[in-house]
Amino acid sequence: MSWFTKKKIPLGKSERRGGVPEGLFLKCEGCGEMVYAAEFEANWRVCKKCGKHHTMPARRRIMLLIDEGSFEEADADMQAVDVLKFKDTKRYRDRIKSAQKESGEMDAIVCGNGNLDGYPVEIAAFEFGFMGGSMGAVVGEKITRTIERAVNNRAAVIIVSCSGGARMQEGAFSLMQMAKTSAALAELEEAGLPYLSVLAHPTAGGVTASFAMLGDVIIAEPDALICFAGPRVIEQTIRQKLPEGFQKSEFLVEHGFVDIIVKRDELKASIASLLRHMGTKMARRVSPANA
Amino acid sequence: MNAGILDFERKILELETKLDELRSLSKLQDTDFSSEIRKMHKKLNTLKRDTFSKLNRWQRTQLARHPARPYALDYIREIVPDFIELHGDRAFGDGPSIVAGFGTMDERSVMFIGIHKGRDVKEKMYRNFGMPHPEGYRKALRCMRLAEKFGHPIITLLDTPGAYPGIGAEERGQAEAIAHNLKDMASITVPIISVVTGEGGSGGALALGVGNRVLMLENSVYSVISPEGCAAILWKDQTKVEEAAEAMALTSRDMHANGLVDEVVREPVGGAHRDPVLAAHILRRALRRNLVELERLSKGELVKQRRAKFRKMGTFMEQPA
């Protein structure tokens, strides 16, 4: 399987996580039904019975969207630095190590370029299995570089967000990544290049309040929690129960903050058909057949 | 103004009261207490210096939240007496947690935008305790665009526990409002100076904080989450606020040492609330100096400098382990 040209970690390892046991069957988080693991994976981790979209590792997400054999990973070796020597109940440096071991990724994001149905794209996909997809300096830097590469190569930017928000263990360094990534998007806009923001469950906090909400087009997966403040924080503040469906994809469409909800198996086709209209400043599309 | 005296302030206030008593006594009785007064005055100053140089990060946070601390409008009215406030985001509402308007500083027009917590209960309610709704952020951006149109510099004052976490705020796109400000502030062609005057509460503060210069008052704090929130999530124990505050390195000195803010602005001894007029005066001087420097840059240079400054933030390793 030499599908990723710059892959460092064998795909099998990262596929093992995300709450999916290695057994033959596993339980759907939506309906609780037992599903056959191989079939579940083949169906991009969407339950065939209830349609629940389960969390997907970054590399699977890239596999879903990028034409086979065209992905080239960037900044694969970038790692977090424990600038603040942060220690809560556990040292941050230890948390990094165990997250790397568990997820098979260096940090909470995988980035690179490739073709999407022949269109040149720079893609960044979150790895929720790495400390809840939290954004520290590595995530911020890799996203910023993804956007900058798109400007240089005249590509589209696709960011698949799946994150609890800013990473507390890097303090205000994490906070400033919001400003850094958003400023890079201003440059992308000046270059007239498209940015499609895909929101997977969950997208929260500082990630929502920066690049995730800045897409030219914002696509959400069905039933994803998309919020600034999480439901628990709001309930504690206002001391009342939140209505059913609050902050879910459908709610965001209703309130005008998401363009479309797209099921996972239709995601690639939807992005491709949008890029057909948004690629006037983009480099030429290669024929997907030749890819 | 002795509302909400903090623990570490108590001794100082006691000594100050004694000193006052001694002074009035000496006037009344026509006895010479001058040597005692001098001694006590010296003791008081030593105590003040000692106390305030040794505050830990949690105490510093408490000082940043001091109920008597000057709020945005206190600074604005002191710095630009002709402040004329503008209202509304032209879409939904006003968002009174944020104030915005023109004023004259050294014969130049300046757009002041500040997050204002409110002094008494009624005003606190009206200002939503300085926790802005999306319309506040949108009003702020509208006013920044207005300043840009006429080529006037922008000064933003940040003092908030955070953007409001509520139903209406989420319905009206709190995240989108903040994100939009972050992106658009990166492109504004006039000088922007941002000052953390009290609490720099995460994205809710940063949404007005993308400046060419970012200043912090000596006793202000700036952080990705409140110490309470951090303690609750990472320690799973809300009482661990001191540990959380220490770990996050949120003081002005930390932020400056980490290269995340440009300058720390001195406060009167004991904190800005001990002498709000002097605090505003010191701030005004710092603003003036920075404005003069920034006014030498062209529109393009201002945008470039602002973007480059935030572009550099963040530490990471690139070599394989």
Side-chain angles (χ1 to χ4, degrees), chain A residues 8 75 77-81 83-84 86-89 95 106 137-138 141 144-145 148 166-180 182-183 185-187 189-190 205 208-211 213-214 226-229 233-234 236-238 240 242-243 246-247 251 255 257, chain B residues 131 138 162-168 170-180 182-184 186-187 200-204 206 210 222-225 229-230 233-236 238 243-244 247-249 255 258-261 303 307 310-321:
Chain A
K8 278 196 50 112
D75 305 314
D77 295 325
M78 198 185 292
Q79 286 197 68
V81 171
V83 256
L84 301 179
F86 197 99
K87 183 172 173 283
D88 45 86
T89 51
R95 280 192 198 273
M106 299 298 258
V138 171
E141 181 69 20
T144 305
R145 288 188 188 182
E148 289 168 346
R167 189 175 295 170
M168 285 171 281
Q169 289 88 346
E170 289 182 32
F173 284 97
S174 297
L175 178 66
M176 297 307 163
Q177 305 309 309
M178 293 170 65
K180 181 164 108 180
S182 301
L185 286 171
E187 284 176 36
E189 185 156 285
E190 286 154 15
T208 320
S210 58
F211 53 84
M213 272 293 146
L214 292 173
I226 300 157
C227 59
F228 172 65
V233 174
I234 298 175
Q236 278 167 12
T237 310
I238 63 172
Q240 59 188 63
L242 293 171
F246 185 67
Q247 300 177 313
F251 173 94
H255 287 89
F257 292 100
Chain B
M131 292 183 282
R138 293 186 179 120
Y164 187 63
I167 293 181
E170 293 286 320
E171 283 175 339
R172 299 194 293 279
Q174 187 71 286
E176 194 276 344
I178 294 171
H180 201 123
L182 296 178
K183 183 180 164 201
D184 280 20
S187 304
S202 195
L206 184 63
V210 188
Y222 205 170
S223 65
V224 68
I225 188 170
C230 184
I233 296 171
L234 292 182
W235 277 264
K236 311 221 180 329
Q238 284 214 9
E243 287 89 335
M248 285 199 295
M255 289 292 287
N258 285 329
L260 299 176
V261 300
V303 172
R307 287 182 185 177
F310 285 90
R311 178 67 189 85
K312 283 190 229 117
M313 293 180 187
T315 312
F316 46 83
M317 285 192 289
E318 292 210 69
Q319 59 285 66

Side-chain angles (χ1 to χ4, degrees), chain B residues 145-172:
Chain B
R145 289 287 182 212
L146 197 59
E148 186 182 35
K149 178 173 172 180
F150 300 107
H152 301 320
I154 298 161
I155 293 170
T156 63
L157 305 180
L158 320 182
D159 181 19
T160 175
Y164 187 63
I167 293 181
E170 293 286 320
E171 283 175 339
R172 299 194 293 279

